[in-house]
Amino acid sequence: MSDVRHVLVLPDRDAAEEAVEALGERFGLSEEPQLVQDALAGEDDAEDAQWLVVLRDEEGRLDPAELDSLAGEWEGWREEP
């Protein structure tokens, strides 16, 4: 078993929460993704923070292209490992 993680970068908390809900519906995740606020370098204002959705995929069953597409629905993207 490997420690594979996918990270989706989304523009705000609402988008991140909606993406988490969509991930559960589309992929039937056994584990809730982790939400992390990521302040942009040099930004003091919390309004300018991105939100990360971190998914564990130890079995390698999540398709990176599908995750890219899903993140794009909220003007986000998937970080390459």
Side-chain angles (χ1 to χ4, degrees):
M1 202 181 299
S2 66
D3 185 26
V4 175
R5 295 177 192 260
H6 299 282
V7 177
L8 306 182
V9 181
L10 297 156
D12 56 48
R13 184 181 184 112
D14 289 340
E17 289 174 345
E18 290 174 17
V20 166
E21 187 175 320
L23 285 162
E25 291 171 2
R26 292 185 195 181
F27 297 105
L29 302 176
S30 60
E31 184 178 319
E32 177 101 6
Q34 180 182 9
L35 288 177
V36 179
Q37 186 177 23
D38 182 40
L40 298 173
E43 295 294 336
D44 294 328
D45 189 353
E47 295 290 322
D48 294 327
Q50 297 173 324
W51 283 80
L52 308 178
V53 176
V54 181
L55 302 119
R56 290 179 54 188
D57 185 23
E58 294 172 349
E59 298 171 4
R61 65 181 194 92
L62 299 175
D63 179 11
E66 286 184 54
L67 294 174
D68 281 332
S69 176
L70 184 133
E73 293 176 24
W74 288 276
E75 299 180 12
W77 64 91
R78 183 184 61 83
E79 283 288 310
E80 290 292 331

